[in-house]
Amino acid sequence: RKEVEQDPGPFNVPEGATVAFNCTYSNSASQSFFWYRQDCRKEPKLLMSVYSSGNEDGRFTAQLNRASQYISLLIRDSKLSDSATYLCVVNKAAGNKLTFGGGTRVLVKP
Amino acid sequence: NAGVMQNPRHLVRRRGQEARLRCSPMKGHSHVYWYRQLPEEGLKFMVYLQKENIIDESGMPKERFSAEFPKEGPSILRIQQVVRGDSAAYFCASSPGGRSEGSFFGQGTRLTVV
């Protein structure tokens, strides 16, 4: 089983709609959680950290469920520029390396 | 304030040659991480270095791969006797402290082995 699992998609989203997707992680000792965004053939860029209480950054909302070991990302009012691959990322306890999921591809269409 | 700089951006090597990938961290960052992304796959951790020290190399293949981060100059990821399976994007990230949250990634080096 992969340490961080994501639905690869693609999620085809009409412009202006809301899309949400999850990822699950296997290591219950994981301490830090993030969503990164990666455009085709580019480097990953930090989108947002994910906190237990849930957090919001503009149109993006992230949630963490430690009991069920999953993280979610919701994008409201989708823009064409939101088309990308969204990477779920976990930092293990006492570790310094990031563990990446395989990514969820989102395609926003007019 | 320049970001993480990697060079070259693209590197083509014949099977059996050596590949050297360079990474200069962001100014003020002393921690460097290397990741590899195989085609159609997610990023995989390779190695974590501080100046003159390898902290965690648990993701490095046992043979042909080595990394260093000297006191002066960029971090180097070296791949000896490259094979077709080494073709991938290699990303470097840096952070100011010992935890990798908030790491900033370079644009990557795309290695193609022919």
Side-chain angles (χ1 to χ4, degrees), chain A residues 59-78:
Chain A
R59 298 180 294 106
F60 297 83
T61 301
Q63 297 275 356
L64 166 63
N65 185 318
R66 285 188 183 270
S68 300
Q69 294 182 207
Y70 77 82
I71 306 149
S72 64
L73 181 66
L74 182 145
I75 308 173
R76 284 186 301 277
D77 187 23
S78 298

Side-chain angles (χ1 to χ4, degrees), chain A residues 31-32 34 36 38 40-46 87 91-103, chain B residues 9-10 33 35 37 41-45 48 55-56 58 91 98-108 110:
Chain A
Q31 289 196 340
S32 305
F34 312 92
Y36 276 72
Q38 187 175 28
C40 187
R41 303 183 73 79
K42 298 281 183 68
E43 75 275 23
K45 292 185 178 175
L46 179 64
L87 305 172
N91 191 357
K92 294 179 185 178
N96 293 288
K97 54 197 175 206
L98 300 175
T99 302
F100 285 78
Chain B
R9 294 285 307 280
H10 300 275
Y33 312 82
Y35 294 83
Q37 187 171 33
E41 292 190 17
L43 279 82
K44 296 279 194 299
F45 168 81
Y48 161 41
I55 307 303
D56 182 349
S58 58
F91 290 100
R99 294 185 67 83
S100 55
E101 47 257 68
S103 294
F104 297 90
F105 282 81
Q107 292 181 299
R110 296 199 174 272

Side-chain angles (χ1 to χ4, degrees), chain A residues 38-44, chain B residues 6-13 19-22 34-41 43 79 86-91 106-113:
Chain A
Q38 187 175 28
D39 293 290
C40 187
R41 303 183 73 79
K42 298 281 183 68
E43 75 275 23
Chain B
Q6 288 188 249
N7 67 82
R9 294 285 307 280
H10 300 275
L11 181 62
V12 179
R13 283 289 176 264
R20 280 184 180 242
L21 288 61
R22 296 174 189 78
W34 285 93
Y35 294 83
R36 176 167 66 173
Q37 187 171 33
L38 295 168
E40 307 301 324
E41 292 190 17
L43 279 82
I79 311 172
D86 296 334
S87 296
Y90 291 83
F91 290 100
Q107 292 181 299
T109 294
R110 296 199 174 272
L111 172 66
T112 303
V113 179

Side-chain angles (χ1 to χ4, degrees), chain A residues 15-89:
Chain A
E15 192 175 8
T18 295
V19 61
F21 42 88
N22 298 334
C23 93
T24 57
Y25 61 95
S26 60
N27 189 337
S28 59
S30 299
Q31 289 196 340
S32 305
F33 309 89
F34 312 92
W35 283 104
Y36 276 72
R37 170 196 170 126
Q38 187 175 28
D39 293 290
C40 187
R41 303 183 73 79
K42 298 281 183 68
E43 75 275 23
K45 292 185 178 175
L46 179 64
L47 182 66
M48 58 197 302
S49 300
V50 187
Y51 304 114
S52 296
S53 54
N55 49 300
E56 190 174 307
D57 183 359
R59 298 180 294 106
F60 297 83
T61 301
Q63 297 275 356
L64 166 63
N65 185 318
R66 285 188 183 270
S68 300
Q69 294 182 207
Y70 77 82
I71 306 149
S72 64
L73 181 66
L74 182 145
I75 308 173
R76 284 186 301 277
D77 187 23
S78 298
K79 312 290 185 193
L80 296 177
S81 57
D82 294 333
S83 295
T85 297
Y86 290 85
L87 305 172
C88 177
V89 183

